[in-house]
């Protein structure tokens, strides 16, 4: 059966086999022909090895001058001559300002020098002029350019620098038209005046400056307005039109603003001179019961928990029989402790002594508003105000006869300087049993400003 099937193969199948056989013989060269190989050109371009030669700027050598035509003008297309040999190359002329300063003479390619490049094509009434002191050349002085020239024979790429004012934008001008009268007498790219520089910096600060720089600029403007004679003249006119109330002025001069707690100068008792309810507010008393709570559990207070002033007087609370008076005095001790810790927290040593102290939120907010603790440090005026609050409370704790030695250690002030604070509160220093005590006589009499007489 197999032999029969092979003998009965179709003629199409035989034809296909013969074609394949002939193709195979042609490739191998069995049929007497020479096989031909099809060379395919590579699609990718072969890399070229180029040697880069960088030419640096030199004082004694002139850098190249570049001029470009923004209009796209071409001499070959616009010239009527038959060929380039007949029409000739365009005339190129370079002009430099003859009157130069000594600094410009030392550097002949100085950027502030005025230069012009003029290109004149043949058989044309239009010439192209580029200037180094107008147009894009002024802005180009802030940039750095380089010119690259490729030599295919030597396979070398030469890169040489170009100065900013050596790139000229060649603008078309009608030949013979004198435009020198229309040009400004002052060179546009000369050094700007102080006022122009200030205006430029002001624009940059307003557009791209930080908030800090913008606030500084606003303050400078206000100062300039104050120094402006025109604004001063308008201000003097406004002042002349103001009606002055002499009686109010006299009464205002009597009451001097002092950096001390709220007080009553005409009080008849020391308690009325500095009211306690205006030093410790009504809602703050409930957060000052720590000292009273400790005494209910323990007989004494730890040495490092409270200031020296409070620790040396804690025994007085046990001698007080009236429970209301005992609680008031303990709250005064607690308020003194918080004030001293707040001062230590904003001192120069970084608040190491009061780092772990816990302030009630109501007291912390009030201290921040009262003493302006926006920054890490307190101002000298606010520190004096805080010391005045502490000294008034020490007077309350000692029945208005207090020894300033202990509180001076807590406030880290010398006793001599602390006496000045007591005197500023209207206190008097008296000596009893060889101990200097601060008392508060009424009505209050504040020290007057003493002026030294000139010899």
């Amino acid at each position: 059966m197999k032999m029969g099937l092979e003998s009965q193969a179709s003629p199409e199948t035989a034809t296909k086999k013969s074609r394949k056989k002939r193709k195979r013989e042609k490739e191998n060269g069995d049929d007497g022909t020479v096989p031909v190989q099809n060379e395919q050109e590579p699609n990718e371009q072969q890399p070229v090895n180029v040697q880069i030669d960088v030419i640096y700027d030199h004082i004694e050598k002139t850098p190249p001058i570049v001029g470009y035509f923004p209009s796209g003008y071409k001499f070959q297309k616009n010239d009527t001559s038959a060929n380039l040999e007949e029409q000739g190359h365009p005339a190129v002329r370079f002009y430099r300002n003859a009157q130069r300063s000594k600094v410009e003479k030392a550097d002949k390619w100085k950027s502030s020098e005025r230069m012009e490049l003029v290109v004149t094509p043949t058989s044309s009434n239009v010439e192209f002029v580029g200037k180094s002191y107008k147009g894009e050349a002024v802005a180009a002085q802030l940039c750095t350019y380089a010119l690259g020239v490729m030599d295919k024979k030597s396979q070398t790429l030469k890169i040489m620098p170009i100065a900013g004012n050596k790139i000229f934008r060649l603008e078309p001008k009608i030949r013979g038209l004198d435009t020198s009268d229309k040009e400004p007498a002052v060179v546009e790219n000369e050094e700007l005046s102080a006022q122009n520089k200030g205006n430029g910096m002001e624009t940059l600060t307003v557009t791209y400056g930080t908030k800090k720089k913008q606030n500084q600029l606003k303050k400078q403007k206000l100062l300039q307005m104050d120094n402006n004679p025109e604004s001063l003249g308008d201000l003097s006119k406004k002042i002349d039109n103001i009606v002055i109330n002499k009686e109010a002025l006299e009464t205002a001069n009597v009451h001097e603003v002092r950096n001390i707690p709220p007080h009553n100068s005409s009080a008849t008792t020391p308690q009325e001179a500095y009211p306690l309810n205006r030093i410790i507010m009504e809602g703050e008393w409930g957060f000052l019961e720590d000292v009273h709570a400790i005494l209910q559990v323990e007989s004494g207070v730890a040495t490092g928990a409270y200031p020296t002033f409070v620790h040396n007087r804690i025994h007085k609370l046990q001698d007080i029989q009236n429970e209301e008076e005992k609680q008031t005095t303990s709250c005064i001790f607690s308020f003194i402790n918080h004030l001293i810790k707040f001062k230590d927290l904003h001192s120069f040593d970084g608040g190491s002594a009061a780092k772990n102290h816990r302030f009630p939120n109501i007291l912390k907010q009030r201290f921040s508003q009262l003493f302006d603790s926006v920054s890490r440090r307190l101002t000298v005026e606010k520190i004096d105000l805080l010391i005045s609050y502490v000294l008034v409370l020490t007077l309350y704790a000692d029945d208005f006869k207090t020894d300033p030695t202990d509180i001076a250690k807590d406030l880290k002030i010398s006793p001599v300087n602390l006496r000045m604070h007591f005197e500023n509160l209207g206190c008097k220093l008296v000596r009893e049993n060889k101990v200097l005590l601060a008392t508060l006589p009424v009505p209050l009499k504040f020290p007057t400003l003493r002026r030294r007489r000139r010899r």
Side-chain angles (χ1 to χ4, degrees):
M1 291 297 291
K2 292 182 179 180
M3 295 296 293
L5 291 173
E6 290 178 357
S7 61
Q8 294 179 3
S10 62
E12 294 179 358
T13 308
T15 307
K16 290 181 181 179
K17 290 183 178 179
S18 61
R19 287 178 182 175
K20 292 181 180 179
K21 186 176 181 181
R22 274 190 259 113
K23 186 177 180 181
R24 192 183 307 111
E25 290 177 355
K26 188 176 180 180
E27 291 177 355
N28 296 332
D30 296 339
D31 59 345
T33 61
V34 179
V36 179
Q37 297 180 357
N38 295 329
E39 296 181 358
Q40 296 180 358
E41 297 182 357
N43 296 329
E44 297 181 358
Q45 296 181 358
Q46 297 181 357
V48 180
N49 296 325
V50 178
Q51 182 181 357
I52 299 176
D53 188 8
V54 180
I55 301 174
Y56 297 96
D57 194 4
H58 197 273
I59 298 176
E60 298 179 356
K61 296 181 181 180
T62 303
I65 300 170
V66 178
Y68 68 97
F69 301 90
S71 60
Y73 179 83
K74 294 183 179 180
F75 302 103
Q76 293 85 353
K77 293 183 179 181
N78 295 281
D79 203 304
T80 57
S81 301
N83 50 32
L84 186 62
E85 294 180 356
E86 293 181 2
Q87 68 184 10
H89 293 286
V92 180
R93 296 184 300 276
F94 186 73
Y95 300 96
R96 187 185 300 115
N97 186 12
Q99 298 179 357
R100 292 183 295 165
S101 62
K102 294 181 180 180
V103 180
E104 292 175 348
K105 288 180 180 179
D107 186 2
K108 62 180 181 179
W109 295 101
K110 190 172 177 62
S111 61
S112 62
E113 187 179 358
R114 298 184 66 173
M115 291 173 287
E116 291 186 7
L117 178 65
V118 181
V119 178
T120 306
T122 57
S123 65
S124 177
N125 293 328
V126 178
E127 59 184 8
F128 297 87
V129 181
K131 300 179 180 181
S132 66
Y133 53 91
K134 292 189 68 175
E136 294 182 357
V138 180
Q141 293 180 9
L142 303 175
C143 304
T144 303
Y145 299 92
L147 177 65
V149 180
M150 178 64 183
D151 189 356
K152 293 184 178 180
K153 293 184 178 179
S154 61
Q155 297 292 319
T156 305
L157 176 62
K158 293 184 179 181
I159 299 176
M160 56 196 72
I162 302 174
N165 63 338
K166 304 302 182 298
I167 298 180
F168 297 90
R169 178 187 175 96
L170 299 175
E171 300 288 348
K173 303 286 183 181
I174 299 175
R175 189 186 301 178
L177 181 62
D178 190 8
T179 59
S180 59
D181 297 335
K182 300 179 181 180
E183 293 181 0
V186 182
V187 181
E188 293 184 5
N189 64 335
E190 283 184 350
E191 293 186 358
L192 299 175
S193 62
Q195 183 177 2
N196 294 334
K197 282 184 178 179
N199 295 335
M201 291 300 296
E202 180 180 340
T203 305
L204 289 174
T205 304
V206 172
T207 308
Y208 304 105
T210 59
K211 290 184 178 180
K212 183 178 179 181
K213 292 292 184 182
Q214 291 176 359
N215 292 333
Q216 291 178 358
L217 182 62
K218 291 179 182 178
K219 292 179 181 179
Q220 289 179 359
K221 282 187 174 181
L222 292 175
L223 292 175
Q224 291 176 0
M225 291 176 63
D226 293 340
N227 296 328
N228 190 3
E230 295 180 359
S231 61
L232 292 176
D234 297 338
L235 183 62
S236 61
K237 292 179 181 178
K238 293 179 180 179
I239 292 173
D240 294 337
N241 296 329
I242 294 175
V243 179
I244 300 174
N245 190 352
K246 295 182 179 180
E247 295 180 358
L249 187 61
E250 291 176 358
T251 55
N253 291 333
V254 173
H255 300 285
E256 296 180 1
V257 178
R258 294 183 176 274
N259 193 23
I260 57 177
H263 58 281
N264 183 10
S265 302
S266 59
T268 56
T269 59
Q271 289 81 4
E272 295 177 357
Y274 290 95
L276 189 60
N277 58 356
R278 298 185 64 184
I279 297 176
I280 302 177
M281 298 303 174
E282 183 178 357
E284 298 171 355
W285 290 94
F287 297 92
L288 302 173
E289 297 180 352
D290 51 337
V291 177
H292 189 264
I294 291 173
L295 290 177
Q296 298 296 329
V297 180
E298 302 176 2
S299 59
V301 180
T303 306
Y306 289 90
T308 307
F309 180 87
V310 178
H311 188 267
N312 292 341
R313 290 162 177 77
I314 204 72
H315 63 277
K316 290 184 177 181
L317 295 175
Q318 299 175 356
D319 299 336
I320 299 174
Q321 300 298 328
N322 189 356
E323 189 64 27
E324 185 178 356
E325 184 181 353
K326 181 187 292 187
Q327 190 171 3
T328 303
T329 308
S330 62
C331 291
I332 290 173
F333 286 159
S334 179
F335 201 84
I336 291 173
N337 179 35
H338 289 309
L339 284 173
I340 293 174
K341 295 297 183 182
F342 189 83
K343 178 181 176 296
D344 293 339
L345 188 64
H346 296 83
S347 60
F348 288 99
D349 60 353
S352 58
K355 187 176 181 180
N356 299 323
H357 183 73
R358 293 184 179 180
F359 294 92
N361 291 333
I362 188 171
L363 293 180
K364 193 172 183 179
Q365 292 178 3
R366 188 192 171 196
F367 291 167
S368 300
Q369 295 176 359
L370 187 61
F371 306 116
D372 296 335
S373 61
V374 178
S375 61
R376 193 64 182 172
R377 304 283 183 268
L378 296 179
T379 60
V380 179
E381 293 78 8
K382 297 304 177 181
I383 291 175
D384 293 341
L385 180 60
L386 190 147
I387 292 173
S388 300
Y389 269 84
V390 173
L391 296 183
V392 170
L393 293 175
T394 58
L395 290 171
Y396 271 97
D398 289 343
D399 296 331
F400 296 95
K401 280 188 180 182
T402 181
D403 183 4
T405 306
D406 296 337
I407 198 62
K409 294 179 182 179
D410 297 329
L411 295 173
K412 299 176 183 178
I413 302 175
S414 64
V416 178
N417 293 334
L418 196 63
R419 294 176 191 174
M420 299 174 61
H421 289 280
F422 274 112
E423 292 176 355
N424 192 33
L425 292 170
C427 298
K428 283 188 178 182
L429 298 172
V430 296
R431 192 173 295 275
E432 293 183 4
N433 299 327
K434 297 182 180 180
V435 178
L436 193 65
L437 301 176
T439 61
L440 186 65
V442 288
L444 296 177
K445 292 183 180 180
F446 298 106
T448 57
L449 182 62
R450 298 177 181 177
R451 296 182 180 180
R452 296 181 180 181
R453 294 181 179 179
R454 294 183 180 180
R455 295 183 179 177

